[in-house]
Amino acid sequence: MTQSVTAGAGAVPAASRPESKLRSYRRLGKLDVFDYYLSTPVVLAAVLLPLSPGLDRRSAATLVLFLLGQVLVIMAMVALDDVTGFRDGSDIANYGPDDPLRNKLRKPLVAGTLSEREALRFAWVCASAGAVVWALTVALAPHRPPWALILLGLLYIVSLQYSYGLKISYHGFQEAFLAALGLVLVIAQYGLLTGEFSGFLFVQGVLFGFGPLMFGVYSNTNDIEGDRAVGRPTVAVLVSPRGNALFIGALSAAEYLLSVAASATGIAPWWFALVMLPAGCLRLRQYLTGFRADNIMAARRIGFRVHRLGVVLLVVANLLVGAGAA
């Protein structure tokens, strides 16, 4: 890097650019973290067999448009998060000057590969396009239950205020939002396709929401100093290290116990907890890696594997239910 980077500064000169601008925009939108978008396969599996021999064109188009809309909205959300983190210095602290460049490149503003103006323009273009696409989704959807429309509208508004504008994540609601994000993506999508509310899909939405939540709490554990410096009150900042470990341990246990409770109460098939057991075991390994082996970032990486495995298991469960295994 040939020049220092300050807030609002332009991107690095082309001669010293470590990667293409297109790749920097992809990093800004976190397109490599596709885990948020796996709600669509979960919902598809839930409706595919009941609508056999397959989805009609209208339902299929609704799924595709919903997926495109969530990609655009979440890219806007994470880009605005990067802008705020750059402005308040938390990203600079968490990706400090001693880190290798390949780590900084995940934060294009810190690396200087994009300017703040470029990042904001990208965020608002994505947000505007996402609003249009989700409006088209609602217009085309086979059903429009009011609760699904309200949840989708709230998700859109709150996503853009997560770290920007009202800065919800700076007022103690970060963990709750991350869990709600996955939940709403599942149940609103299902509502638009079927017009119904399903307790079983609600449970699946909560389990899906644990994915983003558990990425977040391990990241927050790694970022305590930077978040504390800018007054971002995550649980990791507010409690002691032992308290944070207990909090994450409780979340890890609650995730699997939810599937057990769903099976026990009849909300889910009796075998659902057994299907989800591999994800529960891997979640335990994640916790032990983070807090027994004291390797938080390795534990965070395991979290992506837990989430992806969980999605596969939810898809399997839905296909079994659709095939009459309940």
Side-chain angles (χ1 to χ4, degrees):
M1 202 66 62
T2 59
Q3 62 184 35
S4 62
V5 180
T6 58
V12 297
S16 61
R17 175 173 295 279
E19 62 181 15
S20 70
K21 185 161 288 193
L22 177 61
R23 185 170 177 81
S24 295
Y25 279 119
R26 286 174 56 195
R27 290 186 187 276
L28 182 67
K30 306 296 185 287
L31 280 176
D32 59 322
V33 184
F34 58 84
D35 302 80
Y36 296 104
Y37 314 130
L38 296 177
S39 61
T40 296
V42 172
V43 175
L44 175 61
V47 301
L48 186 59
L49 292 183
L51 297 181
S52 60
L55 291 176
D56 59 69
R57 292 183 179 180
R58 186 174 180 182
S59 296
T62 299
L63 273 175
V64 171
L65 284 174
F66 190 97
L67 175 60
L68 177 58
Q70 68 175 308
V71 171
L72 290 166
V73 171
I74 290 174
M75 285 200 300
M77 180 184 77
V78 296
L80 290 172
D81 184 64
D82 274 15
V83 169
T84 298
F86 180 63
R87 285 177 173 176
D88 65 23
S90 59
D91 279 351
I92 295 174
N94 294 332
Y95 290 74
D98 295 329
D99 288 344
L101 179 61
R102 67 179 179 273
N103 290 335
K104 286 189 179 69
L105 288 175
R106 290 190 57 79
K107 294 288 185 177
L109 292 173
V110 175
T113 56
L114 291 176
S115 69
E116 186 179 324
R117 179 176 297 180
E118 288 171 328
L120 281 171
R121 182 168 60 238
F122 173 85
W124 291 119
V125 167
C126 289
S128 300
V132 171
V133 171
W134 267 353
L136 290 174
T137 304
V138 169
L140 182 64
H143 304 276
R144 302 178 193 87
W147 61 265
L149 302 184
I150 291 170
L151 287 177
L152 194 60
L154 286 174
L155 178 63
Y156 178 82
I157 294 169
V158 174
S159 294
L160 300 183
Q161 305 296 320
Y162 172 68
S163 296
Y164 196 82
L166 295 178
K167 296 184 179 180
I168 292 170
S169 66
Y170 283 70
H171 298 286
F173 299 101
Q174 187 197 76
E175 293 84 3
F177 170 78
L178 292 175
L181 170 65
L183 169 63
V184 173
L185 288 175
V186 170
I187 62 173
Q189 198 169 178
Y190 183 79
L192 292 176
L193 287 171
T194 68
E196 299 175 354
F197 177 85
S198 163
F200 185 32
L201 263 292
F202 184 88
V203 168
Q204 293 184 52
V206 175
L207 292 174
F208 184 85
F210 263 92
L213 171 61
M214 299 307 282
F215 306 156
V217 293
Y218 280 91
S219 292
N220 292 345
T221 301
N222 184 70
D223 297 344
I224 289 174
E225 295 306 318
D227 287 340
R228 180 179 288 130
V230 299
R232 194 173 196 175
T234 65
V235 171
V237 167
L238 295 173
V239 302
S240 68
R242 178 174 173 77
N244 184 53
L246 290 173
F247 171 69
I248 295 177
L251 289 178
S252 301
E255 180 182 27
Y256 182 65
L257 290 175
L258 175 62
S259 63
V260 173
S263 289
T265 58
I267 295 174
W270 66 266
W271 43 258
F272 180 63
L274 297 176
V275 170
M276 299 307 297
L277 183 58
C281 292
L282 191 56
R283 185 69 79 194
L284 174 60
R285 180 183 172 190
Q286 179 189 23
Y287 182 81
L288 294 176
T289 299
F291 294 98
R292 289 287 181 85
D294 197 26
N295 194 336
I296 291 297
M297 293 312 289
R300 181 180 182 273
R301 289 192 294 271
I302 293 173
F304 289 96
R305 292 165 55 193
V306 179
H307 182 61
R308 293 165 191 174
L309 174 61
V311 167
V312 171
L313 298 177
L314 290 175
V315 168
V316 169
N318 282 326
L319 292 177
L320 288 173
V321 170

